[in-house]
Amino acid sequence: MSEPFSVPVTVRGYETDVQGHLNQSVYLNYAEHARWSLLDAAGITQAALIGSGVGPVALETTIRYQRELLAGDEVDVTCGFEWGEGKTFRIQQTIRKKDGTVAAEITAVGGLMDLKARRLVANAGEVLKGLATDPGLL
């Protein structure tokens, strides 16, 4: 099995709360950064999405915090899509310290919205793969 797509991130001091922990909302930023990085690596830009008349939407996000992150910690944020046959898909992500410790697990449900009809499109995975120059990453 191949390694999941991941991006490195260093926790910055201004992202921490009064206790010195990474602020809870920043975990979402890290996850979103990894998602867009994966789409970019697959050859899908925001401009290409808009030009094709679709845009990604978040429908649900669950974060399971497991270990604290502090300023200066270096982590890898993974991202993998799980495609189904319906209008939605899952995104599985892990934020892992360099020593292998899992800091958080993030599961999201998303879809692709038709920007004119304002409705989810069917077979979002096929639509995204059709836009990609490297659909194997998806």
Side-chain angles (χ1 to χ4, degrees), residues 24-48:
Q24 64 182 355
S25 66
V26 179
Y27 287 84
L28 291 172
N29 291 338
Y30 288 3
E32 188 75 3
H33 173 63
R35 292 175 198 164
W36 281 108
S37 294
L38 174 52
L39 290 176
D40 185 58
I44 302 172
T45 64
Q46 288 182 337

Side-chain angles (χ1 to χ4, degrees), residues 50-67:
I50 292 169
S52 68
V54 296
V57 293
L59 302 170
E60 175 183 314
T61 303
T62 302
I63 303 174
R64 184 171 181 211
Y65 304 99
Q66 295 185 7
R67 294 289 183 270

Side-chain angles (χ1 to χ4, degrees), residues 27 63-67 69 93-96 101-106:
Y27 287 84
I63 303 174
R64 184 171 181 211
Y65 304 99
Q66 295 185 7
R67 294 289 183 270
L69 290 176
Q93 298 184 265
T94 302
I95 299 176
R96 188 181 315 274
T101 302
V102 173
E105 295 175 320
I106 301 159

Side-chain angles (χ1 to χ4, degrees), residues 47-55 113-117 121 131:
L49 285 168
I50 292 169
S52 68
V54 296
M113 180 182 287
D114 179 312
L115 298 176
K116 288 184 182 172
V121 301
L131 294 171

Side-chain angles (χ1 to χ4, degrees), residues 6-131:
S6 70
V7 295
V9 176
T10 301
V11 177
R12 295 164 291 257
Y14 63 82
E15 296 173 325
T16 60
D17 60 21
V18 70
Q19 297 150 336
H21 303 136
L22 184 65
N23 182 280
Q24 64 182 355
S25 66
V26 179
Y27 287 84
L28 291 172
N29 291 338
Y30 288 3
E32 188 75 3
H33 173 63
R35 292 175 198 164
W36 281 108
S37 294
L38 174 52
L39 290 176
D40 185 58
I44 302 172
T45 64
Q46 288 182 337
L49 285 168
I50 292 169
S52 68
V54 296
V57 293
L59 302 170
E60 175 183 314
T61 303
T62 302
I63 303 174
R64 184 171 181 211
Y65 304 99
Q66 295 185 7
R67 294 289 183 270
E68 67 183 356
L69 290 176
L70 306 172
D73 283 346
E74 294 181 359
V75 299
D76 288 312
V77 185
T78 67
C79 184
F81 288 90
E82 295 177 359
W83 306 107
E85 295 183 20
K87 294 180 178 182
T88 63
F89 52 86
R90 289 196 176 279
I91 305 169
Q92 299 291 343
Q93 298 184 265
T94 302
I95 299 176
R96 188 181 315 274
K97 294 181 179 186
K98 295 294 183 180
D99 68 4
T101 302
V102 173
E105 295 175 320
I106 301 159
T107 303
V109 176
L112 275 183
M113 180 182 287
D114 179 312
L115 298 176
K116 288 184 182 172
R118 308 306 286 178
R119 300 267 185 237
L120 294 179
V121 301
N123 299 314
E126 295 307 313
V127 173
L128 278 178
K129 289 174 185 176
L131 294 171

